[in-house]
Amino acid sequence: MSKLQTLALKYGAITAINLQNQLAYVWDAFHRAFFIVVVMFIFAQLWTAVFQAQGVTVINGLTLANTIWYFLIAEMIEMGKFRHDLTISEEVKDGSIAYTLVRPYNYLAYHFFNGLGETAVKMIVLFVTGSLVCYYYAGPPTAQLVHLPAVLLALILAILLDFCFLSMIGLLAFVTEDTGSFRLIYQKLIFILGGLLIPIDFLPDWLQTIARALPFAAITYTPAKLFVAFSWTEFGQLLTGQLVWLALAGGLLYAQYRWAVRRLVVNGG
Amino acid sequence: MKNELIFLRELIKLNLASAMEYRASFISQIVGMFINNGIYFIFWFIFFDKFGSVRGYEIGDIYLLFGIVALGYGLAYMFAANTGPNLAYLIAQGRLDYYLVLPRRLLPHVIFSRMSVSTIGDVTFGLMAYLFTGRFHPIDITLFLITAVLAALVLVGFSIINGSLAFFLGNAQQLSQQANGAIVTFALYPHTLFTGWARLFLFTLIPAGFVGGVPVEVVNGRDPILLLGLVLVVIAIWSLATAVFYFGLRRYESGSAINVNV
């Protein structure tokens, strides 16, 4: 068995175990997804009122139906992603990271593949639940089946990029006791500059330029926009943006992780 | 009655002192909540800058809405954080025992025994949001403060009701959390967006209209009749909350657990 196969088996098993755990409580996940119904209902009302007030069918390239489905994908990503940064910072603070680091897997890869199982269930549940509201107010999505693999790729890259940023925030526990404020600021940057509360296309030009140049849009806006208004040209541009940010964030995370491991001091036995 | 008020004042002082013991966490929670609210403020600023107005609401109304809801929410949970999911937890875990054996009125003692530190950020934010409205006439300021207090009372009353559901349902923490999340989320949007059954829903089952929409109308229109109506609604919600709590209490089963409250 090649080394790659062994790795695939090992991390695949981690994802599968977490997936099983999540599936055991899938009805709990549906109960938790109630909030997306509230949010999507409000967004549907708000944006219907906006389109009516403006007396137009398209705003900056998005129809009302596009806008409503856009928010479902954006909210699904935000509510469905895993928040392992809390686990990392707790492990750093209580010292248990010393035990987890010596286990026969890469510490960060473990967190990613473990979270993947959780996020898959959460996102599917959120999408299914929220779709009912979207379908009622906006009809079926306009996304074509042929484009879905490309959208899925953008979604996976978005999850990976978010993982890098949250890992960096979690590892900050090596230098600061409370990483909660960093997570809060990161989350709020995604709200505006990531296009969670308002699509980036609707921002004023100067802010659009800033938002498109920053990594937050690559996490929420990119998959959501590609889902509702796919074009191969935009896919190429947005995917390039995701890959560039992923390389930068991945490199930074690697450096920070190496530094953190060196700083780790284990006392006693 | 005077004794009760003195007791509650001491309880709140104790909660505050205990929260301030961890100074860094105390400040970071307040600042965090301030940033949290601020981002929604920025969203509405961008929104109205692009779209002008929506269903009769303009940016000034949003400043007022945020001012009232944030101040109301802050006041509610700064003093009475042992409501909603926390109350549901106490009931489900049989932790009311601690309060039952003490010679104080049960409901106020329970709900005022916990303080949510981050809500100080909401209070500050609410007051700052009001400054953006530019309404500095004493009548407007008075109405703003009164309606914010009434909004706080609606929120606490509602949280007592949904927390007390644990008497009947057992584990009602999640339900209570969702109900509290829903009322605040709905309250922060212009109530004119919602029509038909949704509007009915927001003035009955999830009374968000009395937390945001109606208070804004009271201040905007300097409407004494509407203000009186809001006071009556608060009385009705609190009567219902008290009735549900004490009715549910008959079904309460002791946890027989040894608890140490610190």
Side-chain angles (χ1 to χ4, degrees):
Chain A
M1 194 181 284
S2 74
K3 196 180 172 191
L4 197 67
Q5 276 177 317
T6 317
L7 284 175
L9 272 176
K10 181 160 69 178
Y11 292 111
I14 291 170
T15 302
I17 289 168
N18 197 283
L19 196 66
Q20 275 177 345
N21 284 342
Q22 296 297 321
L23 286 172
Y25 302 103
V26 73
W27 287 112
D28 266 0
F30 270 105
H31 287 147
R32 280 198 300 271
F34 161 80
F35 200 65
I36 202 164
V37 174
V38 172
V39 171
M40 288 315 301
F41 173 73
I42 292 175
F43 280 155
Q45 303 299 319
L46 176 67
W47 291 98
T48 303
V50 168
F51 276 78
Q52 277 172 0
Q54 301 293 310
V56 292
T57 51
V58 178
I59 299 176
N60 293 16
L62 293 177
T63 63
L64 174 61
N66 287 158
T67 311
I68 293 174
W69 281 100
Y70 168 92
F71 280 116
L72 176 64
I73 303 298
E75 290 293 337
M76 177 195 81
I77 295 169
E78 180 57 29
M79 291 187 197
K81 64 191 187 185
F82 52 95
R83 299 172 199 276
H84 67 294
D85 60 307
L86 288 172
T87 319
I88 293 180
S89 72
E90 281 308 312
E91 284 181 354
V92 172
K93 278 190 276 184
D94 67 18
S96 58
I97 193 168
Y99 302 104
T100 43
L101 275 175
V102 292
R103 286 182 184 157
Y105 51 63
N106 178 287
Y107 180 72
L108 290 175
Y110 165 79
H111 275 295
F112 179 72
F113 287 99
N114 186 51
L116 211 55
E118 177 190 330
T119 215
V121 173
K122 272 161 80 177
M123 283 190 183
I124 290 169
V125 168
L126 286 164
F127 183 80
V128 170
T129 318
S131 288
L132 301 174
V133 183
C134 291
Y135 192 86
Y136 183 79
Y137 286 103
T142 50
Q144 290 176 22
L145 216 55
V146 68
H147 298 145
L148 288 187
V151 177
L152 198 64
L153 175 65
L155 178 63
I156 291 168
L157 291 177
I159 293 170
L160 202 53
L161 186 57
D162 182 66
F163 167 81
C164 290
F165 284 114
L166 284 179
S167 300
M168 283 192 261
I169 290 171
L171 287 173
L172 280 176
F174 274 98
V175 279
T176 173
E177 197 171 312
D178 184 18
T179 57
S181 45
F182 293 100
R183 180 162 33 88
L184 187 80
I185 291 167
Y186 169 68
Q187 188 190 31
K188 297 310 161 191
L189 284 169
I190 285 187
F191 275 31
I192 298 288
L193 298 172
L196 183 75
L197 288 177
I198 185 166
I200 286 173
D201 311 76
F202 294 176
L203 294 177
D205 290 342
W206 64 271
L207 196 54
Q208 267 196 53
T209 314
I210 295 172
R212 287 180 196 280
L214 291 171
F216 311 107
I219 294 165
T220 314
Y221 172 78
T222 296
K225 178 72 192 295
L226 289 173
F227 181 77
V228 296
F230 189 91
S231 82
W232 285 109
T233 319
E234 199 166 22
F235 172 69
Q237 288 167 354
L238 294 175
L239 200 77
T240 308
Q242 280 187 318
L243 290 171
V244 168
W245 278 114
L246 200 53
L248 276 170
L252 271 173
L253 174 61
Y254 180 73
Q256 188 194 14
Y257 178 66
R258 293 288 300 265
W259 169 84
V261 171
R262 276 201 304 272
R263 259 181 77 105
L264 190 67
V265 179
V266 181
N267 290 315
Chain B
M1 185 66 183
K2 195 183 166 194
N3 273 348
E4 284 297 323
L5 289 174
I6 292 170
F7 172 67
L8 291 181
R9 194 186 64 194
E10 292 305 313
L11 205 58
I12 290 161
K13 270 166 68 178
L14 204 67
N15 287 337
L16 189 65
S18 130
M20 286 181 74
E21 189 63 29
Y22 302 96
R23 207 57 61 91
S25 162
F26 180 78
I27 292 167
S28 77
Q29 282 189 61
I30 294 169
V31 173
M33 193 47 71
F34 205 84
I35 295 170
N36 182 55
N37 294 342
I39 215 78
Y40 286 99
F41 216 59
I42 293 170
F43 157 68
W44 282 115
F45 189 78
I46 295 167
F47 181 91
F48 282 105
D49 185 52
K50 180 160 180 76
F51 300 115
S53 69
V54 59
R55 298 255 169 95
Y57 261 67
E58 292 180 0
I59 189 70
D61 300 308
I62 290 290
Y63 293 149
L64 184 58
L65 181 72
F66 261 69
I68 293 168
V69 177
L71 181 59
Y73 182 89
L75 290 174
Y77 300 110
M78 187 161 84
F79 298 118
N82 244 357
T83 50
N86 289 330
L87 180 61
Y89 173 79
L90 290 176
I91 295 165
Q93 296 293 317
R95 288 177 182 255
L96 285 187
D97 295 8
Y98 169 80
Y99 302 94
L100 280 165
V101 293
L102 294 172
R104 288 289 166 194
R105 283 171 199 263
L106 182 65
L107 186 57
H109 188 185
V110 172
I111 66 172
F112 291 112
S113 285
R114 183 193 285 253
M115 168 180 209
S116 168
V117 175
S118 61
T119 54
I120 297 174
D122 290 302
V123 170
T124 322
F125 188 87
L127 294 171
M128 281 189 67
Y130 184 76
L131 294 179
F132 279 85
T133 64
R135 295 160 190 261
F136 301 122
H137 193 285
I139 294 177
D140 289 332
I141 296 173
T142 311
L143 282 174
F144 163 68
L145 294 173
I146 293 172
T147 51
V149 171
L150 292 172
L153 289 170
V154 171
L155 286 169
V156 175
F158 179 68
S159 289
I160 294 171
I161 295 170
N162 63 49
S164 299
L165 289 178
F167 285 124
F168 309 96
L169 304 174
N171 186 6
Q173 254 181 292
Q174 201 170 315
L175 180 68
S176 172
Q177 200 166 16
Q178 287 174 340
N180 277 357
I183 192 172
V184 176
T185 309
F186 276 116
L188 282 169
Y189 283 84
H191 71 108
T192 47
L193 287 175
F194 311 107
T195 52
W197 63 266
R199 198 169 175 76
L200 181 71
F201 180 74
L202 294 180
F203 283 96
T204 50
L205 210 58
I206 304 276
F210 300 114
V211 178
V214 174
V216 167
E217 301 276 315
V218 170
V219 181
N220 266 341
R222 293 185 181 178
D223 190 336
I225 306 293
L226 203 56
L227 180 63
L228 184 67
L230 191 57
V231 172
L232 292 175
V233 166
V234 169
I235 293 170
I237 289 177
W238 269 78
S239 305
L240 183 66
T242 312
V244 170
F245 180 81
Y246 283 105
F247 181 70
L249 192 63
R250 292 185 201 171
R251 301 166 57 96
Y252 176 71
E253 288 174 18
S254 165
S256 299
I258 298 167
N259 296 323
V260 180
N261 276 32
V262 286

